[in-house]
Amino acid sequence: MKNYQTYFLMKAPDVPDYVRSKLKEFFPTGAMLESSEIGDGNLNYVFRVKDAVTGKTIIVKQAGAATRISADMILSTDRGRIEAKILQIQAKLAPGLVPEVYLYDEVMCAILMEDMIGHTMMRTGLLQHEIYPGFSEDISTFMARTLLLTTDVAMNHKEKKELVKSFVNPDLCEITEDLVYSEPYNDCHQRNNVFPPNAAFIRQELYEDKVLHLEVAKLKFEFMNHAQSLIHGDLHSGSIFINKKHTFIFDPEFAFYGPMGYDTGNILANMFFAWCNGDAMIKDLVQREKFCSWVLQTIQEIVDKFIEKFKALYEERVTDIMAKTEGFSAYYLAAVLADTAGVMGLELIRRTDGMANVKDITTIEDEEKRVRAERIVVTLAKECILQRNDFKCGQDYLAAIQRAVEKF
Amino acid sequence: MKNYQTYFLMKAPDVPDYVRSKLKEFFPTGAMLESSEIGDGNLNYVFRVKDAVTGKTIIVKQAGAATRISADMILSTDRGRIEAKILQIQAKLAPGLVPEVYLYDEVMCAILMEDMIGHTMMRTGLLQHEIYPGFSEDISTFMARTLLLTTDVAMNHKEKKELVKSFVNPDLCEITEDLVYSEPYNDCHQRNNVFPPNAAFIRQELYEDKVLHLEVAKLKFEFMNHAQSLIHGDLHSGSIFINKKHTFIFDPEFAFYGPMGYDTGNILANMFFAWCNGDAMIKDLVQREKFCSWVLQTIQEIVDKFIEKFKALYEERVTDIMAKTEGFSAYYLAAVLADTAGVMGLELIRRTDGMANVKDITTIEDEEKRVRAERIVVTLAKECILQRNDFKCGQDYLAAIQRAVEKF
């Protein structure tokens, strides 16, 4: 039996022995283990090991030494440690909403964890126009709890600083700084993927709008300097595994101390992409309206439930004497909500003209419909960024969406 | 000869052997070494070793395991490492304005460094009403360079994050969070030192003003969460050694990544304390006006020269593509200037009613004059905090000072 004292990149057949070596009692003696690679991410290799006798499964996620995105973006394998640690923290703060970590192996940079079997990647489900009635409830709980309870309005200040230190995440933050906060506004970056029929529109609306650039620059340094909460850092529908009854939030390898609006805004943007896809792709009118109205309702509910849970938790859990000053919680929440709208706009834009497009848009086959969807997205996004202080409740998002849709 | 493999707290007679052991060639073989303890700080033990033959000197600063402030405030000796490291960084950014570090000894938690001989602690000099014509030039250079050049508008983003991590400073930040941002506004803290004839005034103006508390709370979380620059963190006139021709900035053990306005505001507040002392204590009218007008001129020059140098450096050194957006530097500087005014107000207040008063005020013997000085200070401070967005140049500070002085 190997001793796994030196890192090597595993293939599927390596993984059963590895699991037996690390978690001796997980599978019973007579288990017949099958192994397969199931990941489609860019940064990691994900394997499932299954006991054909009992059906019991486990997931092994190993960080590759170099990312698959492109040859010039080399990432530290330290992100595995960060991911395992944050999953354990989030499990305490939002029990049941993240998969359980059984073990993190520093040598092999691998996490051995609960299989989210019976759940679908949410983006895949949304592309099939599935409805998830419990999602707004689960995601608002997850965000309010993991975000507010890791701030220093609620935490011991010294413990919070140790977390800040332990989650400094230069490699992954650099990806976000480039792909979200810089390249989508600068034609000089050859990595942007622009849909050709919208090239002139993107140039005018995104590359040449200096007023927009100034607001993006403000948000960029807010992202880099505001060590507010232990954020997930990549909270889109590809980081969520879901079914009709339950939600798992996953893939927190971008986690670091940043502005909580980065998570809340990301979710809202990716919900809106689902709306765009449903609006363009569902042929049956009844089905289309059912799916699209559920998406809009969910956007509204995410915002309003987050606000409600944030306020209740603030009352219950905030400890800092100055943070209890009358008016401070409202000031604090208002800043989070402005960040939320700003980041929603940034995510909408970068997924449209940046390097990493979303399938919700790219699978719209009809050219005219895709052109229209992207223009709605960019128009909404710019309002979210430029008028971000005006987005104070769920209804404000619905009204902005309506304005953008009516323009095209 | 001892090998210094285990930490112990040195007394003056221990230090010459220690220096010979660590820096073999610093003193020549025939040197006759004399040693004395010269520190008056609360956190460290400072020794000077002098060769009676050549006059050559060295300073050894050792971190005590526990602070001298009070028995319940125990500090990590890690602050010595932070101090040595930041002095080396500052020496590169602002050459000649910090003492040279020869060696940092992790075991003994001791820094062996350049003696700032021929320089006086600036607070001591100011209490003797000395004038330092070069101070505004030196301190504005120091602040513009050490602050702007450690931000991620100017630095490589990844290197900046490594610095953030390396300078997380929970113990010393906690002192500031308590003594500057909480206790001066809350009577419940028995550690406040309030001048009895001003007790009712302090209660009304500081403990009971809820509008003030809200603005202080905003500034508190700005201090804790805004990882903007590698700040000195304790930049008052007791951290500066000076003569008519030269300035040394010292004692950066509170350093961490925080808002740059924390340094700029601190300096301005402590200059104003010098004005208060001169105004109350100098009997000769000509002398008084000479000293006080130099102080006011220096306050104005510090602000205006800082702005000028900041702008020039921004043009020259900023690398981030979004930070170069038109209008961003003005937005960025405006936020720094608002923080500056806010922190000036906080420092003025905490040195008046908080635990650590300043000699500039406490040595005013005449009760009526001290009462007046403190009321001017608190009045000015509140304008600085509440109207901090209106302080945009040196003249704005002089005008606010005049308004406060005219009230009493």
Side-chain angles (χ1 to χ4, degrees):
Chain A
M1 202 173 227
K2 284 193 180 158
N3 61 9
Y4 306 99
Q5 297 294 308
T6 318
Y7 175 88
F8 69 95
L9 198 56
M10 288 187 282
K11 301 276 177 203
D14 300 321
V15 186
D17 277 355
Y18 175 69
V19 173
R20 283 186 189 281
S21 147
K22 290 291 163 185
L23 292 174
K24 296 191 174 38
E25 318 229 313
F26 191 84
F27 288 113
T29 321
M32 291 184 54
L33 301 187
E34 301 163 353
S35 176
S36 53
E37 186 177 350
I38 58 168
D40 73 338
N42 295 312
L43 309 174
N44 299 294
Y45 301 83
V46 182
F47 306 95
R48 171 178 286 139
V49 179
K50 181 176 178 177
D51 177 0
V53 182
T54 63
K56 192 177 184 186
T57 57
I58 190 169
I59 293 294
V60 175
K61 180 173 179 180
Q62 186 178 29
T67 154
R68 293 185 196 180
I69 291 184
S70 69
D72 64 327
M73 292 169 71
I74 304 298
L75 299 174
S76 151
T77 46
D78 188 46
R79 65 187 189 278
R81 179 193 60 81
I82 288 179
E83 179 169 358
K85 211 167 150 187
I86 195 180
L87 283 173
Q88 290 163 329
I89 292 170
Q90 290 173 340
K92 279 186 197 156
L93 297 174
L97 293 173
V98 296
E100 186 181 349
V101 171
Y102 305 127
L103 185 101
Y104 176 65
D105 175 355
E106 292 201 11
V107 175
M108 292 289 282
C109 305
I111 307 176
L112 289 76
M113 61 193 303
E114 182 180 359
D115 191 358
M116 297 177 287
I117 212 152
H119 294 67
T120 308
M121 184 191 282
M122 191 177 181
R123 193 181 305 282
T124 309
L126 291 173
L127 285 170
Q128 292 158 359
H129 310 119
E130 289 287 342
I131 283 173
Y132 300 104
F135 179 63
S136 65
E137 192 65 37
D138 285 346
I139 197 71
S140 58
T141 296
F142 176 81
M143 295 194 298
R145 295 189 62 86
T146 61
L147 297 175
L148 184 58
L149 299 182
T150 56
T151 65
D152 38 24
V153 299
M155 268 188 82
N156 173 288
H157 297 177
K158 287 184 173 183
E159 289 170 13
K160 184 255 185 177
K161 288 182 183 72
E162 292 303 334
L163 286 183
V164 170
K165 186 172 174 174
S166 140
F167 287 105
V168 168
N169 197 349
D171 289 333
L172 283 289
C173 283
E174 185 179 53
I175 295 179
T176 305
E177 290 157 21
D178 292 343
L179 298 194
V180 179
Y181 288 92
S182 303
E183 296 177 13
Y185 306 92
N186 290 286
D187 191 19
C188 53
H189 288 88
Q190 311 223 330
R191 303 199 295 185
N192 287 353
N193 285 320
V194 176
F195 186 47
N198 266 335
F201 177 81
I202 294 292
R203 169 167 305 282
Q204 181 186 320
E205 294 294 324
L206 300 179
Y207 295 162
E208 293 176 357
D209 186 340
K210 295 296 172 190
V211 175
L212 178 67
H213 292 190
L214 178 55
E215 298 310 310
V216 172
K218 293 177 187 176
L219 288 163
K220 181 175 185 180
F221 288 91
E222 161 83 6
F223 176 79
M224 290 200 283
N225 290 327
H226 191 189
Q228 181 177 35
S229 290
L230 184 50
I231 69 173
H232 180 285
D234 195 29
L235 195 52
H236 58 79
S237 48
S239 300
I240 294 169
F241 286 75
I242 196 162
N243 60 33
K244 298 278 182 194
K245 293 184 180 162
H246 182 254
T247 309
F248 271 132
I249 290 91
F250 188 48
D251 253 348
E253 65 199 351
F254 281 78
F256 77 109
Y257 259 86
M260 56 175 98
Y262 192 76
D263 280 356
T264 49
N266 240 303
I267 278 290
L268 296 177
N270 282 278
M271 287 308 296
F272 188 66
F273 284 127
W275 182 91
C276 293
N277 187 278
D279 181 61
M281 297 288 282
I282 302 175
K283 297 209 167 71
D284 180 87
L285 181 65
V286 175
Q287 287 301 318
R288 181 161 78 233
E289 289 187 345
K290 188 178 168 200
F291 178 76
C292 287
S293 76
W294 170 76
V295 173
L296 293 182
Q297 183 191 339
T298 300
I299 288 174
Q300 180 172 24
E301 286 177 1
I302 291 171
V303 176
D304 292 338
K305 289 180 181 180
F306 173 77
I307 292 171
E308 183 193 326
K309 291 172 188 179
F310 180 100
K311 285 180 176 171
L313 262 182
Y314 199 101
E315 280 298 307
E316 186 190 322
R317 297 287 292 269
V318 162
T319 52
D320 182 273
I321 185 169
M322 298 309 290
K324 291 181 177 178
T325 305
E326 195 185 327
F328 184 72
S329 67
Y331 158 83
Y332 192 85
L333 177 58
V336 170
L337 293 175
D339 282 351
T340 300
V343 171
M344 177 177 178
L346 291 160
E347 175 75 359
L348 287 172
I349 285 172
R350 76 103 168 186
R351 294 290 197 176
T352 302
D353 83 330
M355 188 171 87
N357 304 145
V358 277
K359 280 190 183 170
D360 314 59
I361 297 294
T362 57
T363 58
I364 300 174
E365 288 161 5
D366 182 273
E367 181 176 307
E368 208 172 305
K369 285 186 175 173
R370 180 167 168 189
V371 165
R372 176 171 180 263
E374 290 194 0
R375 292 182 182 205
I376 291 171
V377 164
V378 169
T379 302
L380 171 63
K382 289 181 69 170
E383 182 174 344
C384 286
I385 294 171
L386 296 171
Q387 310 299 330
R388 59 192 179 278
N389 290 305
D390 298 340
F391 287 75
K392 292 174 180 166
C393 66
Q395 178 54 37
D396 293 335
Y397 286 86
L398 299 195
I401 290 168
Q402 177 145 6
R403 281 191 291 278
V405 170
E406 281 173 356
K407 275 191 83 173
F408 299 95
Chain B
M1 203 175 226
K2 283 192 181 159
N3 61 10
Y4 306 98
Q5 296 295 307
T6 317
Y7 174 90
F8 68 95
L9 199 56
M10 289 188 282
K11 301 276 178 204
D14 300 321
V15 185
D17 278 354
Y18 175 69
V19 173
R20 283 187 187 280
S21 147
K22 291 290 164 185
L23 292 174
K24 297 194 174 38
E25 318 228 313
F26 191 84
F27 290 113
T29 320
M32 291 185 51
L33 301 186
E34 300 163 354
S35 175
S36 54
E37 186 176 349
I38 60 169
D40 73 337
N42 295 312
L43 309 175
N44 299 293
Y45 301 83
V46 182
F47 305 96
R48 171 178 286 140
V49 179
K50 180 177 179 176
D51 176 1
V53 181
T54 63
K56 192 177 184 186
T57 58
I58 191 170
I59 294 293
V60 175
K61 181 173 179 181
Q62 186 178 29
T67 154
R68 293 187 196 179
I69 291 184
S70 68
D72 63 327
M73 292 169 71
I74 304 297
L75 299 174
S76 151
T77 47
D78 188 46
R79 66 186 187 278
R81 179 192 62 79
I82 288 179
E83 180 167 358
K85 209 167 152 187
I86 193 178
L87 283 172
Q88 289 163 330
I89 291 171
Q90 290 173 339
K92 279 186 198 157
L93 297 174
L97 293 173
V98 296
E100 186 182 348
V101 171
Y102 304 126
L103 186 101
Y104 176 64
D105 175 355
E106 292 202 11
V107 175
M108 292 288 283
C109 305
I111 307 176
L112 288 75
M113 60 193 301
E114 182 180 359
D115 192 358
M116 297 176 287
I117 211 152
H119 293 68
T120 308
M121 184 190 283
M122 190 177 184
R123 194 182 303 282
T124 309
L126 291 173
L127 285 170
Q128 292 158 1
H129 310 119
E130 290 288 342
I131 282 173
Y132 301 104
F135 179 62
S136 66
E137 192 65 37
D138 286 346
I139 197 72
S140 58
T141 296
F142 176 81
M143 294 193 300
R145 294 190 61 87
T146 61
L147 297 176
L148 185 59
L149 299 181
T150 55
T151 65
D152 38 24
V153 298
M155 269 188 82
N156 173 289
H157 296 178
K158 286 184 175 184
E159 289 169 13
K160 184 255 185 176
K161 288 182 184 71
E162 292 303 335
L163 286 183
V164 170
K165 187 172 173 176
S166 138
F167 287 106
V168 167
N169 197 351
D171 289 334
L172 283 289
C173 283
E174 184 178 53
I175 295 179
T176 304
E177 291 157 21
D178 291 344
L179 298 194
V180 179
Y181 288 92
S182 303
E183 297 178 11
Y185 306 93
N186 290 286
D187 191 20
C188 52
H189 287 89
Q190 311 224 330
R191 302 199 296 185
N192 287 352
N193 285 320
V194 175
F195 186 47
N198 266 335
F201 176 82
I202 294 292
R203 168 167 304 284
Q204 182 186 320
E205 294 294 323
L206 300 180
Y207 296 162
E208 292 176 358
D209 186 341
K210 295 295 173 191
V211 175
L212 178 68
H213 292 191
L214 177 56
E215 298 310 310
V216 172
K218 294 177 187 175
L219 288 163
K220 181 175 185 178
F221 288 92
E222 161 83 6
F223 176 80
M224 290 200 282
N225 289 329
H226 191 189
Q228 181 177 35
S229 290
L230 185 50
I231 68 172
H232 180 285
D234 195 29
L235 195 53
H236 59 79
S237 49
S239 300
I240 294 169
F241 286 74
I242 195 163
N243 60 34
K244 298 278 181 193
K245 293 186 183 162
H246 181 254
T247 310
F248 271 132
I249 290 90
F250 187 50
D251 253 348
E253 64 199 351
F254 280 79
F256 76 109
Y257 260 86
M260 55 175 97
Y262 193 77
D263 280 356
T264 49
N266 241 302
I267 278 290
L268 296 176
N270 282 278
M271 288 308 296
F272 187 66
F273 284 128
W275 182 91
C276 292
N277 188 278
D279 180 62
M281 298 288 283
I282 303 175
K283 297 209 169 70
D284 180 87
L285 182 64
V286 175
Q287 287 301 316
R288 181 162 76 232
E289 289 187 345
K290 188 178 168 202
F291 178 76
C292 287
S293 75
W294 169 75
V295 173
L296 293 183
Q297 183 192 338
T298 299
I299 288 173
Q300 181 173 21
E301 286 176 2
I302 291 171
V303 176
D304 292 338
K305 289 180 181 180
F306 173 77
I307 292 171
E308 184 193 322
K309 291 171 190 180
F310 180 100
K311 286 180 176 171
L313 263 181
Y314 199 101
E315 280 298 308
E316 186 190 322
R317 297 287 291 270
V318 162
T319 51
D320 182 90
I321 185 170
M322 298 308 291
K324 291 180 176 178
T325 305
E326 195 185 327
F328 185 73
S329 68
Y331 158 83
Y332 193 84
L333 177 58
V336 170
L337 294 175
D339 282 350
T340 301
V343 171
M344 177 178 179
L346 290 160
E347 175 75 0
L348 288 172
I349 286 171
R350 75 103 169 187
R351 294 291 198 176
T352 303
D353 83 329
M355 189 171 86
N357 303 146
V358 279
K359 280 190 183 171
D360 314 57
I361 297 295
T362 58
T363 59
I364 299 175
E365 287 161 5
D366 182 275
E367 181 177 307
E368 210 171 304
K369 286 186 175 172
R370 179 166 169 191
V371 165
R372 176 172 179 265
E374 291 193 1
R375 291 182 183 204
I376 291 170
V377 164
V378 169
T379 302
L380 172 63
K382 289 180 69 171
E383 183 174 344
C384 287
I385 294 171
L386 296 171
Q387 311 298 331
R388 59 191 179 280
N389 290 305
D390 298 340
F391 287 75
K392 292 175 180 167
C393 66
Q395 178 54 37
D396 292 336
Y397 285 87
L398 299 195
I401 290 168
Q402 177 146 5
R403 280 191 291 279
V405 170
E406 281 173 357
K407 275 191 81 173
F408 298 97

